[in-house]
C-alpha cells in the first residue's frame, strides 16, 4: 500500500493553525484541550511511541508526521490544496482534518488512494462514503444511520402529546409543536441528512411545523441564535429538535432564556 514499506508506515496528522482557525480552537479550548501546537506535537509523539510498543506492526514502525492546514476549518479551497500537498507526501493514512470541509478534503485524499482515518471524516453521508470505498473511515454511525435512530427515539419518547418536558407551566400545558434546527456546511453537504431525518421523523409520527438551517460562525453565533429563537417563538414551537455542532446550543439556550422562551430541547 501507499505509505507502507518493509520498515515503516507513514501516517499524517492534520491540524489547523489556531491563528487561522479560531472556531476549532475555541471549541477545543472550551472543552479543556490544550491547543498549543508544541504540546499537541509532543502528545502525538507519545501516542505513536505507545502504539508502536503495544501493537503488532509486523516489523514496521508507525511514523507520524504533522501537517498544519493552510486555512480555517471551513475553507474548502484550502482543504483541497492541503489534501493535494499531503498526497505528495504519499502517506498510508491521514488522521484529523479541516472540521467543516472534511468532505472535499477526504474526497481528494481518497482519489489518490490514501486512507482518510479517524477525525479525517466526521459526518459524511453514506453516499459519499460508498463513492469512496474503502478510503474513508467513519468514526461512528453515519449521519444517515444516526438520523434513523434519532427519529425512532423521538417518536417513542416524545411523540405527539403535551410538552411535559418544557421549562415552564404554560408550555407544558400545550400540545407539542415540533421544529428542527439543522446544521449545514457552506457547500450544503448535510442537506441529504436533513431530508432523511425529516422523512424519518414523519414516518414516526412527528410532523415539523418549521425547520431552520444554520451554519456555524462564531462571529455571528449570538446574533444567529437571536433570530432563530424569535422564529421558533413565532411558529409556536414547543419542542426543538437539534441536529448540529456542540457549540451552538450554548448561544441558543442562553438567548431562549433571555426571550423568556422555555421549550423542550431534544439534542
Amino acid at each position: 500500500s501507499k505509505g507502507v514499506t518493509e520498515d515503516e508506515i507513514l501516517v499524517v496528522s492534520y491540524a489547523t493553525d489556531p491563528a487561522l482557525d479560531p472556531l476549532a480552537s475555541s471549541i477545543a479550548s472550551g472543552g479543556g484541550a490544550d491547543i498549543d501546537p508544541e504540546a499537541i506535537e509532543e502528545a502525538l509523539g507519545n501516542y505513536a511511541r505507545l502504539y508502536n510498543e503495544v501493537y503488532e506492526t509486523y516489523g514496521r514502525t508507525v511514523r507520524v508526521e504533522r501537517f498544519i492546514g493552510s486555512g480555517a476549518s471551513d475553507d474548502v479551497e484550502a482543504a483541497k490544496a492541503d489534501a493535494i500537498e499531503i498526497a505528495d507526501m504519499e502517506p498510508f493514512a491521514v488522521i484529523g482534518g479541516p472540521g467543516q470541509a472534511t468532505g472535499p478534503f477526504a474526497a481528494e485524499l481518497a482519489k489518490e488512494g490514501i486512507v482518510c482515518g479517524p477525525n479525517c471524516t466526521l459526518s459524511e453521508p453514506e453516499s459519499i462514503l460508498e463513492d469512496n470505498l474503502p478510503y474513508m473511515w467513519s468514526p461512528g454511525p453515519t449521519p444517515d444511520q444516526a438520523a434513523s435512530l434519532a427519529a425512532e427515539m423521538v417518536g417513542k419518547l416524545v411523540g405527539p402529546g403535551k410538552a411535559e418536558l418544557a421549562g415552564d407551566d404554560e408550555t407544558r400545558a400545550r400540545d407539542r409543536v415540533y421544529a428542527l434546527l439543522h446544521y449545514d456546511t457552506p457547500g450544503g453537504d448535510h442537506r441529504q441528512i436533513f431530508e432523511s431525518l425529516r422523512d424519518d421523523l414523519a414516518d414516526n409520527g412527528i410532523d415539523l411545523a418549521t425547520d431552520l438551517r444554520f451554519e456555524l460562525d462564531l462571529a455571528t453565533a449570538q446574533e444567529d441564535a437571536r433570530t432563530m429563537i424569535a422564529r421558533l417563538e413565532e411558529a409556536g414551537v414547543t419542542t426543538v429538535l437539534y441536529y448540529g455542532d456542540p457549540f451552538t446550543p450554548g448561544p441558543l439556550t442562553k438567548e431562549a432564556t433571555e426571550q423568556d422562551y422555555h421549550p423542550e430541547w431534544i439534542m
Side-chain angles (χ1 to χ4, degrees), residues 162-174:
K162 299 298 181 184
E164 59 185 0
L165 302 175
D168 60 23
D169 291 338
E170 181 181 350
T171 309
R172 283 191 287 268
R174 294 170 53 199

Side-chain angles (χ1 to χ4, degrees), residues 13-165:
S13 175
Y14 179 100
T16 51
D17 184 340
L20 297 175
D21 192 20
L23 172 59
S25 300
S26 175
I27 292 174
S29 59
D34 188 343
I35 61 171
D36 176 65
E38 291 185 7
I40 295 172
E41 191 160 6
E42 180 183 0
L44 280 171
N46 289 336
Y47 276 118
R49 281 192 292 273
L50 179 63
Y51 185 95
N52 282 312
E53 289 179 13
V54 172
Y55 285 86
E56 172 60 77
T57 59
Y58 301 95
R60 297 177 175 91
T61 298
V62 177
R63 177 167 62 89
V64 180
E65 283 197 20
R66 193 145 184 260
F67 183 92
I68 305 299
S70 62
S73 61
D74 60 352
D75 188 332
V76 171
E77 294 307 315
K80 290 180 179 178
D82 289 344
I84 292 170
E85 188 173 343
I86 290 171
D88 288 340
M89 299 166 66
E90 298 193 335
F92 169 71
V94 178
I95 298 173
Q100 294 196 79
T102 55
F105 179 75
E108 199 68 46
L109 292 172
K111 187 169 67 177
E112 298 297 328
I114 297 169
V115 170
C116 196
N119 291 332
C120 177
T121 58
L122 292 177
S123 300
E124 308 309 327
E126 283 182 20
S127 59
I128 294 179
L129 297 178
E130 290 170 358
D131 288 345
N132 292 279
L133 285 172
Y135 297 108
M136 291 187 185
W137 295 1
S138 180
T142 65
D144 307 68
Q145 294 165 339
S148 180
L149 291 169
E152 183 179 354
M153 178 201 74
V154 173
K156 289 181 175 178
L157 298 181
V158 282
K162 299 298 181 184
E164 59 185 0
L165 302 175

Side-chain angles (χ1 to χ4, degrees), residues 180-231:
L180 176 62
L181 298 184
H182 54 104
Y183 162 84
D184 207 344
T185 63
D189 293 335
H190 287 250
R191 178 175 177 79
Q192 176 185 331
I193 308 305
F194 154 68
E195 292 174 347
S196 296
L197 180 53
R198 178 197 60 200
D199 294 345
D200 286 344
L201 285 166
D203 290 342
N204 284 272
I206 307 298
D207 294 320
L208 301 175
T210 188
D211 70 86
L212 303 179
R213 176 188 179 277
F214 69 92
E215 296 177 13
L216 181 53
D217 185 343
L218 280 181
T220 62
Q222 200 63 53
E223 181 182 345
D224 293 342
R226 188 174 303 117
T227 300
M228 284 191 283
I229 293 299
R231 290 179 62 184

